[in-house]
Amino acid sequence: MDLDPSLDAPFDVALTPSPFGTDDAPSQDITLAAALLANSESMHDDFANQPIKSYPLHHYRHIYDSCSKHAALSSLSSCATIDFRNSPLVVDPTKNDLDWSARSVFLDLMVCVGAHIGFGALLPCLQVDHNYEFKMQLAHSLRTFSAKFTKLGYDPRNSIHFIGRSPRSEDVWLAWIPRDIVDRQSQDNTPPGSSSASSALSLRHYRMSVMFIAKMLSDIAYHDVIVFDDYPDVDDPDFDFPTNVNLSSIGLNLVHLHRLHVRMAEQYAIWVTNAPDNWKADGFLEQRYPVAITSRYGQNQPLGLHTNNEGEEARNWDRDRDFSNIRYMTIAIATHVRQVLQYNSRYQPNNSRFYSVRRVAQWQNRDVTDIMDQYPDGIYNSHDRRIREEYEHHELEQLDQEDANGDPINIYSVDGYPIQRRIALFRPGTKNMGVLIDFQHLDELFLHEDPNFVTGSHLETAYTVYPQAGLRTAGHFQAKGLFHPCYKLLEEINGGLMYSDEDSVSSSSENNDDNDNAHKPAIFGISSQGYNAVMHNTRGRSAQHHEVQVGYITRMLAGSWMNAKSHQLAAQRWVQKCQQALPHEAYAEKIRDRSICRDLRLENVYYIDLDALNPGQKRGSEILNQIILPLGAMWLHASLWEKLPRHVVLFEPDAYPAVYNWTTYPITALLDIIYRSTADAIKAKTFSDTFVVELCSVLERTLNYMHTGNASVIATTVMNPMWIGRAIVQDGLPCLNPQNVMIQHPSKVHISHQHWPYDRVLHLPYSSSRKSQVINFGKHHFNECSYGGVNPPEHHQPLNNTAIGTFLWRCNFIYTNDNHWSNTPP
């Protein structure tokens, strides 16, 4: 099976491919410790005592460009770090010939939770739409909802049923939510992202859910749907649904959907009351309501793209959904920082932004009169309202562009947004620079500076870092909150939404609940992450990880001695993929395009409590203009904009993302040797060298880490004794323990079984490939290949940490220059 089909989750820098999961992974916190501390390890052993060499970035570029496998493989025998900050390939972010911009904003995630029983979260604000069709699918009993980043208002454990795809390409779920939450009888204290177990319904509750929907379809006379028994025995081992409803596909037009929604709300209590006692014995039906949830991830929908059609975009939001039927909305707004000619609006249309940088050829000053006309509310010398002073026209005319130190003199709008005083001109073909987050002072963005700040954010927000390409102190981040300047801006947006007492009184006759929520904030920050947009350009459509990150070569090797026909077909698929191009070769081809987007993508995730809005604000256009677009404009505010350049590392376009190829070349060179030396045996179906599979798995886990910075792929029991698991974290670059794997020139690679990481309790070696083999080919295959076709010892469990067993232990392979592995000991 393919590892990364379309994932029902937002892009997540912290997500681990399933075959690389491991029970002994270190905490992600070790990457930040390694970035900030010279040596964060307390261990004193052979690895800790190894000398560490430092090489400039162009050293690794030269090795890669010259295809020197000898130099690449030799580098694996010693510990090394990259001195990239002094490289001519890295640009000083404080230079004045750089144009910093944030042009594009995207809505990248949207999850809507219904306010009441039924399909309210799905219903558009229309009664008639001849093209509307909801594709209901009831057969997916095991599909799970991704709750990370999402505000549901309750723990979704064993309570959500996937039921189809909306006309807006959203996934639609029927969530069985506790009644006290839906009825607002108890306070919602469940944090966003809470999920204690799988969201999938139990088998009996899944059957009940289907029967309830089938009964409602029958009640509204939908086509010829008939229910022969309203309450069948859902515990019957030979259960068959007593209805003719098509579980695979039910096409509902808008009229049908409205009728079904109304019928569910009217009849649910009666349906539960009439249910037999054995249906109600566990309290599930009597304690919960069926409420629709919609979710769409990775949509990357541009916002405010066409300023001449703002009215059309607002009307679309009004039509698409009736927000009065929604309780919670979770959204991710992404921003790309890129060239902007002017900041002419308080709420510049941006949400998910790309943070981009280009070298400027020449600056062109803007006309002062044009600037004054564009900002009639005033132009100031600071974004801080407490100290700022307003400029007169003649003062702006006389104001220099730069101060005595050569730094630009900025001016600001009344709302604190920087105003562009000059326009950047570029040479033809100028490319954006590669932008990564600098870890060295990242904590400054998560520590609040004002001790009097009382909004519901903590003084410090927890965050984790994901070093890229062996750089150790530069890469991506993910946080359980927002940059602290965001909270002050969020407070201002919430303040504009809190309606007055007069509004409360006028609306109280319509909804008494609104009066209680008149002064509650509506928008809350959940999380944030920052990563380079190359991740989107290389991972493929809807996939979470690109080929280099998922272990194709290990799967190809491990599957080469499959017996079952279905598994043989799967194994052959991996062989064909590798024959077309090895994963690192495919990646190198993808990034060859010089126009690839190298911008920094910044994403903030928020949830909106629509109970805190007044009825007039629960319209799509109001939510767009008062919430979505202001949140997108947040990155352009001076309190954030002017801090970001001090927290990034800039690479010349020729260096990023090529740096991944350069620094991983020692690993990919060794993988290339493994592949080419085993190709003939695989083709002849004679390959069965388990030790090679294990080394390959270790190398591909290392490759994943250098592309993602995710420590969860490090199988410490195998990789730490081999040094490579510790080296990539502490030093950034891989190093192999010569007692395990010895590289002697480009002609010999020894794998020593005598020193392979070993479980001294079970007296068996550890396995790195176990998870990959079990997921891709099953437990039986793993046991069979690990024990060389011999049943495992009876006194051991079939699958434990060291099921690699007897066969692995008696093997020792040496790669020689005739491209064959033998079992001659080193």
Side-chain angles (χ1 to χ4, degrees):
M1 69 177 186
D2 286 331
L3 173 65
D4 277 320
S6 178
L7 294 179
D8 303 307
F11 180 76
D12 182 359
V13 299
L15 191 64
T16 305
S18 298
F20 281 161
T22 179
D23 296 331
D24 59 344
S27 165
Q28 190 64 36
D29 294 336
I30 66 170
T31 59
L32 184 59
L36 301 182
L37 304 176
N39 187 351
S40 59
E41 284 202 339
S42 59
M43 299 175 65
H44 299 284
D45 54 15
D46 289 344
F47 173 76
N49 293 326
Q50 291 297 306
I52 303 174
K53 301 177 182 179
S54 180
Y55 295 99
L57 186 57
H58 66 262
H59 170 76
Y60 295 93
R61 179 180 190 174
H62 173 72
I63 292 175
Y64 179 82
D65 288 347
S66 62
C67 299
S68 177
K69 285 191 176 182
H70 171 64
L73 294 172
S74 296
S75 71
L76 292 172
S77 62
S78 60
C79 296
T81 61
I82 305 172
D83 177 13
F84 65 91
R85 294 183 182 272
N86 297 314
S87 170
L89 298 169
V90 174
V91 180
D92 180 358
T94 64
K95 294 182 68 174
N96 290 331
D97 63 344
L98 302 176
D99 176 59
W100 301 78
S101 58
R103 187 183 70 185
S104 305
V105 174
F106 304 90
L107 182 66
D108 201 45
L109 173 154
M110 188 168 176
V111 178
C112 295
V113 180
H116 306 287
I117 293 177
F119 287 95
L122 178 61
L123 290 173
C125 217
L126 299 168
Q127 292 299 318
V128 178
D129 184 343
H130 301 295
N131 296 315
Y132 188 97
E133 185 179 39
F134 166 41
K135 298 281 190 181
M136 182 180 283
Q137 302 167 351
L138 302 178
H140 299 275
S141 62
L142 299 179
R143 188 167 174 180
T144 58
F145 180 87
S146 175
K148 187 175 182 181
F149 307 120
T150 305
K151 175 66 174 179
L152 298 179
Y154 80 110
D155 185 340
R157 176 187 180 117
N158 303 134
S159 66
I160 299 184
H161 178 192
F162 174 78
I163 58 170
R165 184 65 62 88
S166 80
R168 294 183 292 267
S169 298
E170 299 168 306
D171 289 335
V172 183
W173 314 77
L174 195 63
W176 294 80
I177 302 177
R179 294 190 180 194
D180 57 339
I181 298 297
V182 178
D183 292 336
R184 281 66 164 180
Q185 293 177 349
S186 64
Q187 189 173 359
D188 171 16
N189 295 316
T190 307
S194 298
S195 181
S196 60
S198 168
S199 66
L201 292 170
S202 67
L203 182 58
R204 70 190 314 268
H205 292 157
Y206 161 69
R207 291 168 175 173
M208 292 177 184
S209 182
V210 171
M211 290 308 303
F212 171 66
I213 295 173
K215 173 61 176 173
M216 296 300 102
L217 289 171
S218 175
D219 286 355
I220 65 171
Y222 172 77
H223 292 183
D224 62 344
V225 170
I226 301 173
V227 175
F228 304 104
D229 182 355
D230 290 353
Y231 306 102
D233 182 0
V234 292
D235 299 311
D236 185 349
D238 298 321
F239 180 86
D240 190 17
F241 287 105
T243 173
N244 64 344
V245 69
N246 185 348
L247 300 183
S248 300
S249 181
I250 304 168
L252 296 174
N253 62 32
L254 189 54
V255 173
H256 290 141
L257 185 60
H258 275 290
R259 288 177 181 171
L260 182 61
H261 170 69
V262 171
R263 187 66 178 178
M264 288 173 65
E266 292 176 345
Q267 292 296 310
Y268 180 72
I270 297 173
W271 181 78
V272 172
T273 300
N274 293 337
D277 291 342
N278 65 323
W279 272 47
K280 297 182 286 188
D282 59 5
F284 185 83
L285 296 179
E286 293 179 311
Q287 296 170 11
R288 295 175 182 261
Y289 285 138
V291 178
I293 293 176
T294 63
S295 64
R296 189 177 179 188
Y297 305 105
Q299 56 189 301
N300 219 34
Q301 181 65 41
L303 293 168
L305 186 62
H306 303 291
T307 55
N308 295 330
N309 297 315
E310 292 175 353
E312 181 179 355
E313 184 173 24
R315 288 191 295 274
N316 287 339
W317 276 74
D318 280 337
R319 287 193 301 266
D320 283 350
R321 205 181 307 268
D322 184 350
F323 288 92
S324 66
N325 289 324
I326 294 173
R327 172 74 183 276
Y328 293 120
M329 229 176 111
T330 301
I331 56 174
I333 296 179
T335 298
H336 284 215
V337 180
R338 191 174 285 174
Q339 183 190 14
V340 179
L341 293 183
Q342 57 186 3
Y343 308 119
N344 59 357
S345 170
R346 175 184 179 187
Y347 296 142
Q348 193 74 13
N350 280 336
N351 245 352
S352 173
R353 289 187 177 272
F354 284 95
Y355 196 45
S356 73
V357 187
R358 284 196 285 176
R359 181 171 282 111
V360 177
Q362 183 180 343
W363 292 104
Q364 177 180 306
N365 293 342
R366 295 183 62 197
D367 183 77
V368 171
T369 301
D370 289 344
I371 296 175
M372 296 289 288
D373 290 344
Q374 192 174 352
Y375 294 90
D377 294 333
I379 298 173
Y380 298 84
N381 65 350
S382 173
H383 67 86
D384 190 337
R385 289 186 173 92
R386 297 169 298 180
I387 60 172
R388 70 185 185 184
E389 295 179 356
E390 187 173 358
Y391 282 117
E392 299 293 337
H393 187 284
H394 70 277
E395 293 176 311
L396 277 182
E397 289 278 9
Q398 299 171 6
L399 188 65
D400 292 333
Q401 289 286 350
E402 298 177 350
D403 62 19
N405 297 321
D407 296 325
I409 298 175
N410 297 322
I411 59 176
Y412 306 88
S413 71
V414 66
D415 298 305
Y417 290 85
I419 298 172
Q420 192 166 13
R421 299 183 63 199
R422 53 187 184 177
I423 297 172
L425 304 178
F426 306 95
R427 292 186 176 88
T430 299
K431 303 299 182 185
N432 293 339
M433 294 184 179
V435 190
L436 292 176
I437 290 289
D438 189 342
F439 301 156
Q440 291 190 333
H441 305 289
L442 183 59
D443 61 318
E444 295 174 1
L445 291 174
F446 292 105
L447 291 172
H448 201 270
E449 300 170 355
D450 185 356
N452 297 318
F453 189 67
V454 294
T455 297
S457 65
H458 301 292
L459 289 178
E460 184 174 2
T461 298
Y463 67 94
T464 48
V465 297
Y466 300 82
Q468 298 295 293
L471 300 175
R472 198 167 60 88
T473 59
H476 304 155
F477 80 90
Q478 188 174 91
K480 296 180 179 179
L482 315 179
F483 289 163
H484 270 290
C486 293
Y487 286 106
K488 184 63 176 178
L489 300 172
L490 189 59
E491 188 178 59
E492 292 180 2
I493 298 173
N494 271 321
L497 293 171
M498 293 181 186
Y499 48 97
S500 65
D501 292 336
E502 290 79 6
D503 293 330
S504 301
V505 172
S506 63
S507 65
S508 61
S509 59
E510 300 177 38
N511 190 340
N512 290 329
D513 290 339
D514 286 329
N515 205 28
D516 298 331
N517 293 308
H519 301 290
K520 293 181 179 178
I523 315 168
F524 301 83
I526 297 177
S527 63
S528 59
Q529 62 181 8
Y531 56 93
N532 194 279
V534 162
M535 300 299 108
H536 277 284
N537 287 272
T538 57
R539 67 191 178 112
R541 185 177 180 182
S542 299
Q544 181 77 34
H545 303 93
H546 58 69
E547 293 94 331
V548 175
Q549 300 172 354
V550 294
Y552 281 172
I553 303 177
T554 300
R555 278 186 264 183
M556 181 201 70
L557 295 175
S560 60
W561 55 80
M562 299 300 303
N563 291 324
K565 186 172 183 179
S566 60
H567 287 165
Q568 288 177 348
L569 293 175
Q572 186 60 32
R573 190 162 67 247
W574 305 126
V575 172
Q576 292 171 352
K577 280 182 176 289
C578 291
Q579 286 175 340
Q580 291 172 356
L582 293 178
H584 51 273
E585 295 171 342
Y587 179 81
E589 188 61 33
K590 285 182 180 181
I591 66 172
R592 196 183 302 277
D593 182 5
R594 279 181 51 82
S595 64
I596 193 170
C597 184
R598 302 172 181 84
D599 304 339
L600 180 65
R601 183 177 172 103
L602 298 167
E603 295 180 355
N604 280 353
V605 180
Y606 309 90
Y607 81 85
I608 305 167
D609 183 354
L610 276 78
D611 280 0
L613 302 178
N614 70 40
Q617 293 171 328
K618 296 180 183 181
R619 295 176 56 232
S621 57
E622 292 296 308
I623 290 172
L624 174 67
N625 291 318
Q626 293 193 46
I627 298 178
I628 306 293
L629 295 182
L631 291 175
M634 186 180 288
W635 291 104
L636 295 178
H637 194 273
S639 61
L640 272 168
W641 184 257
E642 295 180 352
K643 289 183 178 181
L644 285 173
R646 302 197 300 270
H647 299 282
V648 300
V649 177
L650 302 182
F651 293 86
E652 292 283 3
D654 289 341
Y656 191 91
V659 64
Y660 290 98
N661 290 340
W662 306 343
T663 60
T664 63
Y665 187 48
I667 296 298
T668 59
L670 188 50
L671 284 170
D672 188 70
I673 287 174
I674 291 175
Y675 171 74
R676 310 218 179 271
S677 65
T678 58
D680 290 342
I682 289 173
K683 185 177 181 180
K685 298 183 179 181
T686 59
F687 175 78
S688 59
D689 298 348
T690 316
F691 244 134
V692 181
V693 177
E694 291 305 310
L695 176 60
C696 184
S697 175
V698 167
L699 296 175
E700 290 202 297
R701 285 178 180 272
T702 301
L703 195 57
N704 177 288
Y705 178 83
M706 296 186 72
H707 275 268
T708 68
N710 196 336
S712 63
V713 303
I714 300 175
T716 57
T717 52
V718 180
M719 297 174 67
N720 282 4
M722 295 178 69
W723 293 2
I724 197 166
R726 295 162 67 184
I728 54 177
V729 174
Q730 294 298 319
D731 308 326
L733 296 175
C735 173
L736 285 168
N737 186 340
Q739 288 189 329
N740 304 124
V741 180
M742 182 175 292
I743 302 170
Q744 297 178 344
H745 309 292
S747 60
K748 289 185 178 180
V749 179
H750 299 281
I751 306 177
S752 173
H753 72 280
Q754 289 94 339
H755 296 98
W756 190 266
Y758 180 68
D759 187 328
R760 299 187 181 280
V761 176
L762 297 178
H763 302 291
L764 293 172
Y766 288 111
S767 170
S768 171
S769 70
R770 172 186 177 274
K771 192 72 174 287
S772 177
Q773 293 195 50
V774 171
I775 287 177
N776 288 290
F777 305 116
K779 297 179 180 180
H780 176 74
H781 165 74
F782 178 71
N783 284 332
E784 182 178 84
C785 73
S786 299
Y787 285 91
V790 179
N791 290 328
E794 294 182 1
H795 60 279
H796 288 306
Q797 293 296 321
L799 278 173
N800 52 42
N801 285 340
T802 57
I804 200 70
T806 307
F807 181 66
L808 172 63
W809 186 242
R810 61 184 173 84
C811 292
N812 180 64
F813 303 97
I814 301 174
Y815 171 71
T816 60
N817 57 7
D818 60 356
N819 282 350
H820 290 287
W821 296 85
S822 66
N823 30 340
T824 305

